[in-house]
Amino acid sequence: MNRINQKLQENKKLLSIYFSAGYPNLKDTVPIIQKLAENGVDMIEIGLPFSDPLADGPTIQASSTKALKNGMTTEMLFNQLKDIRKTVSIPLIIMGYFNPILQYGVEAFCKKCQEIGIDGFIIPDLPVDVYHDNYKALFEKYNLINVFLITPQTSDERIRFIDSVSNGFIYMVSSSSVTGSQSGFGKAELNYFKRIATMNLKNPQIIGFGISTNETFNQATEYAKGAIIGSAFIKHLENTGIEKIHNFIKFIQP
């Protein structure tokens, strides 16, 4: 069984952390993953930096730009992660855009991910229809879960199609915005969380965008299996470096 599916079966609310590979420094990727795992994080989303990140807000864009300037590439990331499974057992997901995967070669990318122990992808600009028709069988051949995003504007029909194609979790974008652009949830977001919870989808939902505190983590996980934090964690790395990662995790989950 894929590590993501195993983790989703655990009787707890899950915390997933996103960061950009190669940020703050080129060689920080593996130490950050190891420190997150040591401090009780349930899943890690490793951002593959790209020059045109459509869904990312200023904080993640800046970290991605810095990582690229540091020299991060797809090949460099694979090289850094080649021994990661010797020290880390939690699910690892690569989050990025489809262009670098296409440039690398989709099957070659999948094969490499399987070899080093990656469990899945989040690719915001890969439409579910295109995935279903062209890549689903290939991803499944290499035991890789592809995670799709839904927003408050996604129709029920589309959500149910995404649910039928998915075999892991659904990434619920909390609002119609880029990452890192809001703090706290209002009535509209909470009503959206409730609405999706009552749809009884076969795949659990994990909420991202706008989660930066223990309060927002608890608000999100009242209605969903877990929550994803990206921008707030990257700001923490920027301000305190990788040595204080444990402080951030304790702040979210005291």
Side-chain angles (χ1 to χ4, degrees):
M1 184 188 287
N2 186 292
R3 292 180 194 89
I4 295 170
N5 298 122
Q6 289 177 333
K7 181 59 70 173
L8 291 167
Q9 289 180 359
E10 292 183 12
N11 185 27
K12 62 176 293 196
K13 298 299 186 179
L14 304 182
L15 173 61
S16 183
I17 297 286
Y18 167 94
F19 76 100
S20 299
Y23 176 88
N25 302 298
L26 184 61
K27 293 183 179 178
D28 286 341
T29 309
V30 169
I32 288 172
I33 292 170
Q34 290 170 335
K35 286 182 183 296
L36 287 171
E38 287 164 10
N39 284 282
V41 168
D42 296 293
M43 288 194 282
I44 300 173
E45 295 172 19
I46 305 162
L48 179 59
F50 181 54
S51 56
D52 189 21
L54 303 173
D56 297 328
T59 300
I60 292 178
Q61 279 193 27
S63 69
S64 188
T65 299
K66 176 77 167 17
L68 290 170
K69 286 180 179 174
N70 287 343
M72 180 52 66
T73 63
T74 304
E75 198 61 63
M76 172 72 71
L77 178 60
F78 285 151
N79 194 47
Q80 288 182 349
L81 296 178
K82 67 181 187 298
D83 295 321
I84 195 66
R85 286 303 175 193
K86 291 179 180 177
T87 55
V88 174
S89 61
I90 62 172
L92 299 176
I93 298 170
I94 287 183
M95 183 168 185
Y97 295 87
F98 198 52
N99 188 285
I101 299 172
L102 206 56
Q103 285 185 338
Y104 194 90
V106 180
E107 181 154 16
F109 191 91
C110 291
K111 187 171 186 288
K112 196 72 178 174
C113 284
Q114 183 190 48
E115 285 172 6
I116 62 178
I118 297 298
D119 302 292
F121 304 137
I122 300 171
I123 310 170
D125 60 343
L126 177 60
V128 62
D129 318 70
V130 175
Y131 166 77
H132 179 263
D133 294 343
N134 300 315
Y135 300 110
K136 186 172 188 287
L138 183 62
F139 284 25
E140 289 176 353
K141 173 182 173 183
Y142 292 99
N143 193 29
L144 294 161
I145 286 174
N146 199 41
V147 176
F148 294 98
L149 287 72
I150 64 170
T151 75
Q153 278 64 49
T154 309
S155 69
D156 285 5
E157 181 185 19
R158 188 76 170 169
I159 290 169
R160 293 203 182 279
F161 177 61
I162 286 171
D163 189 44
S164 73
V165 171
S166 301
N167 61 343
F169 66 90
I170 292 173
Y171 188 136
M172 274 179 68
V173 176
S174 66
S175 61
S176 303
S177 63
V178 293
T179 55
S181 61
Q182 65 176 67
S183 58
F185 297 122
K187 191 173 180 182
E189 286 90 3
L190 295 176
N191 285 339
Y192 161 57
F193 299 165
K194 290 175 191 173
R195 177 171 68 85
I196 302 303
T198 60
M199 288 182 72
N200 296 315
L201 303 175
K202 73 179 176 76
N203 291 278
Q205 300 90 57
I206 297 183
I207 297 175
F209 291 49
I211 297 157
S212 58
T213 62
N214 174 251
E215 181 189 7
T216 46
F217 177 82
N218 289 338
Q219 279 184 307
T221 55
E222 183 179 346
Y223 302 102
K225 178 65 179 172
I228 299 161
I229 300 178
S231 297
F233 178 66
I234 287 171
K235 286 176 185 171
H236 180 82
L237 286 178
E238 185 182 341
N239 294 331
T240 66
I242 69 173
E243 296 308 316
K244 299 286 179 68
I245 283 175
H246 62 282
N247 289 347
F248 183 82
I249 305 306
K250 280 186 179 175
F251 173 65
I252 302 298
Q253 292 183 312

